[in-house]
Amino acid sequence: MKKITGIKINDGLAFGTVCIREGPEDAFRFPESDTPPIILSENLTPNETVRFGQMGVKALVVTGATDTSHTAILARTMNWPAVSGIKIDPAWAHKTAIVDGNHATLIIDPDEAARRYYQRKQAEAEETKNTLLRAYKNKKTVTKSGKEIKLYANISTPSDISDVLANGAEGIGNFKTEFMYLNSPDYPEEEALFQAYKKIAGQMSGQKVVIRTFDIGTDKTADYFGIGKEENPALGYRAIRIGLDRPEIFKTQLRAIIRAGAYGKVAIMYPMIISVDEVLSIKKLVARTMDELEKEGIPFDRHMEQGIMIETPAAVIMSRELAQIVDFFSIGTNDLIQYTLAADRQNPKLGSIYNPYHPAVLRSIRYVVENAHRAGIWTSVSGELGADSAMTETFIKWGIDALAAPPSKILPLRKKICEMNETM
Ligand code: PEP
Ligand code: MG
């Protein structure tokens, strides 16, 4: 038996068989037995992570992913126990393993005592989860002093919806639509996008579904977009910058989202905003798209909410003006930290510099909430900080209206908020 400790990415416990990259790209050999695969890799691309989610993978161990890399975020959305910072030994391939995400530990070839210990821990965790489900699944999220918060789930693929419903989220706070593009060999057709969005709107039975337009760029790339290699991709051709530059691609997605609005409470959200002009350009394109749909006799909701992600310092500084022209803000803390502190969210060497609690980040969040409320619009905190229970009380005191978190974090957050006696 071998026990190695790394850096925590996501909690939970999983038993399985080790799958290691055994050749060039994609050459993971899955176990032939019916034990679930555990992926061990230097790193995974977001595309691979999404694909493995659909292949029954149960846990992830990587050498170099940071806490806010898209791979880590996906692991949390799929509720995989996950650990980073572990150097992988090829000799571990196909061995039995346990991933203890709670203590950031990988156990290779566990002995009988370790197996029994972790089986007991798994049963206890299951019992805790069931108790939470019974007590909080169908409850509103209200503090003891009566302040109601909306707890929304983040999703990356339509298949995440079952977890959203199982955990009693009050809506979808951020459907990250770019992953449907990453999984496709070419630009998805309007009809395929529309059917996926419509289905989610229906499954959420009238609860809010915030659909974020594609945030392609940086490490989330699809070859057919032809973006090419960039020196500084996080500061590059990304998200609505692509959408506004190539309106024919953007409009296909806008039409699909707007059409889905006829089948549920759909809102649309734009990532990587830096200016009022960008928002006005997008809104003009949306208005034109709605006019076209009207002429074609296709149903949609003309008053669909339109919001933006606040994830750049420019958007924070302009939040007073931006609040005048949108219906809501979602504070994307992963990127806001990266851009405010000039610290690449993907670089494991910057662990202590990429500091979510830096006063510049926290003051920015507070300032954005104040400007939103002055203009009468609602604001959520998304990104990993939205699920950080150490910050929940502070955010609520600052007047945040909603939090967006991975589905598995909804019930623990609801419990915390319902037990909270905050005074404004
Ligand atoms: C964020 O930046 O906080 C966010 C929610 O978006 P993503 O992590 O997808 O960049
Ligand atoms: Mg972001």
Side-chain angles (χ1 to χ4, degrees):
M1 179 168 100
K2 198 169 171 59
K3 218 169 170 178
I4 313 106
T5 297
I7 300 159
K8 184 166 171 169
I9 294 280
N10 194 29
D11 46 22
L13 272 173
F15 291 66
T17 302
V18 172
C19 278
I20 289 182
R21 213 185 284 273
E22 291 178 24
E25 224 187 316
D26 280 356
F28 283 89
R29 192 152 60 83
F30 277 63
E32 271 145 32
S33 64
D34 54 7
T35 53
I38 289 178
I39 297 288
L40 269 60
S41 180
E42 285 260 312
N43 207 340
L44 283 189
T45 63
N47 310 33
E48 286 173 322
T49 315
V50 169
R51 198 152 39 77
F52 287 148
Q54 291 150 1
M55 293 171 73
V57 165
K58 282 285 175 278
L60 178 67
V61 175
V62 283
T63 308
T66 62
D67 200 43
T68 47
S69 63
H70 295 293
T71 298
I73 292 169
L74 285 165
R76 280 192 281 268
T77 305
M78 294 187 277
N79 205 20
W80 291 343
V83 182
S84 181
I86 292 196
K87 197 167 168 332
I88 316 283
D89 181 344
W92 297 339
H94 307 290
K95 289 194 185 283
T96 302
I98 298 171
V99 177
D100 174 5
N102 306 323
H103 301 96
T105 302
L106 168 71
I107 300 109
I108 300 284
D109 262 343
D111 61 19
E112 197 43 42
R115 275 172 206 263
R116 264 190 273 116
Y117 172 80
Y118 284 109
Q119 270 158 359
R120 205 173 60 240
K121 288 282 161 206
Q122 208 170 31
E124 284 168 14
E126 199 57 29
E127 185 48 42
T128 307
K129 190 178 160 205
N130 288 336
T131 308
L132 263 183
L133 274 172
R134 279 193 298 272
Y136 291 102
K137 183 175 171 189
N138 300 312
K139 250 188 139 178
K140 283 191 168 187
T141 314
V142 187
T143 65
K144 281 200 186 313
S145 40
K147 162 115 176 129
E148 185 172 350
I149 306 294
K150 291 288 181 194
L151 273 183
Y152 296 138
N154 298 325
I155 61 166
S156 306
T157 67
S159 59
D160 295 332
I161 286 288
S162 53
D163 276 347
V164 173
L165 297 172
N167 286 284
E170 289 156 273
I172 308 284
N174 188 351
F175 174 18
K176 303 184 176 188
T177 58
E178 55 275 12
F179 293 102
M180 285 179 67
Y181 286 76
L182 303 189
N183 268 349
S184 169
D186 204 344
Y187 296 106
E189 303 273 347
E190 174 185 326
E191 194 57 25
L193 294 173
F194 164 63
Q195 290 300 341
Y197 304 159
K198 176 184 168 191
K199 188 167 172 203
I200 290 173
Q203 284 170 312
M204 291 308 293
S205 321
Q207 290 184 309
K208 200 186 288 290
V209 177
V210 177
I211 303 183
R212 178 174 85 174
T213 58
F214 60 73
D215 187 3
I216 296 283
T218 62
D219 62 333
K220 292 184 286 189
T221 54
D223 288 346
Y224 59 85
F225 267 82
I227 294 173
K229 192 161 163 32
E230 295 183 297
E231 288 296 327
N232 282 309
L235 306 181
Y237 197 55
R238 175 179 177 183
I240 57 106
R241 296 171 180 188
I242 304 176
L244 285 173
D245 188 45
R246 296 162 71 178
E248 68 293 350
I249 298 168
F250 198 29
K251 242 179 93 188
T252 302
Q253 185 180 34
L254 291 177
R255 279 180 63 101
I257 300 173
I258 295 167
R259 286 175 60 194
Y263 301 90
K265 200 168 168 191
V266 174
I268 187 166
M269 177 160 79
Y270 313 113
M272 276 299 284
I273 294 295
I274 59 162
S275 72
V276 165
D277 279 352
E278 282 174 339
V279 179
L280 294 177
S281 300
I282 296 169
K283 287 186 78 175
K284 215 186 266 173
L285 194 58
V286 167
R288 228 170 35 228
T289 307
M290 287 181 170
D291 291 345
E292 282 171 18
L293 290 170
E294 195 164 67
K295 272 204 203 100
E296 293 166 35
I298 295 175
F300 65 94
D301 171 16
R302 170 86 53 188
H303 304 291
M304 162 186 270
E305 279 190 304
Q306 294 185 66
I308 57 171
M309 297 210 63
I310 302 285
E311 48 188 354
T312 64
V316 171
I317 292 163
M318 297 307 293
S319 55
R320 185 181 297 205
E321 288 79 0
L322 288 165
Q324 302 294 327
I325 54 171
V326 296
D327 301 308
F328 65 94
F329 287 156
S330 172
I331 305 173
T333 53
N334 300 333
D335 277 317
L336 185 59
I337 297 164
Q338 154 166 274
Y339 295 125
T340 302
L341 305 181
D344 181 353
R345 63 192 268 192
Q346 313 266 48
N347 187 337
K349 290 194 194 112
L350 301 181
S352 59
I353 293 178
Y354 185 97
N355 172 13
Y357 311 115
H358 191 296
V361 173
L362 299 183
R363 254 186 237 174
S364 295
I365 295 172
R366 190 166 192 182
Y367 180 70
V368 169
V369 178
E370 280 167 11
N371 282 334
H373 288 176
R374 206 173 278 145
I377 66 169
W378 62 274
T379 302
S380 73
V381 174
S382 61
E384 302 315 285
L385 207 54
D388 181 346
S389 61
M391 284 305 299
T392 311
E393 189 159 357
T394 304
F395 289 151
I396 290 176
K397 282 188 176 151
W398 290 351
I400 203 78
D401 304 283
L403 293 169
S408 65
K409 299 286 189 285
I410 296 292
L411 291 171
L413 279 173
R414 183 168 296 145
K415 177 174 190 297
K416 179 159 182 100
I417 294 170
C418 289
E419 288 172 352
M420 198 177 278
N421 200 354
E422 106 293 351
T423 38
M424 305 303 289

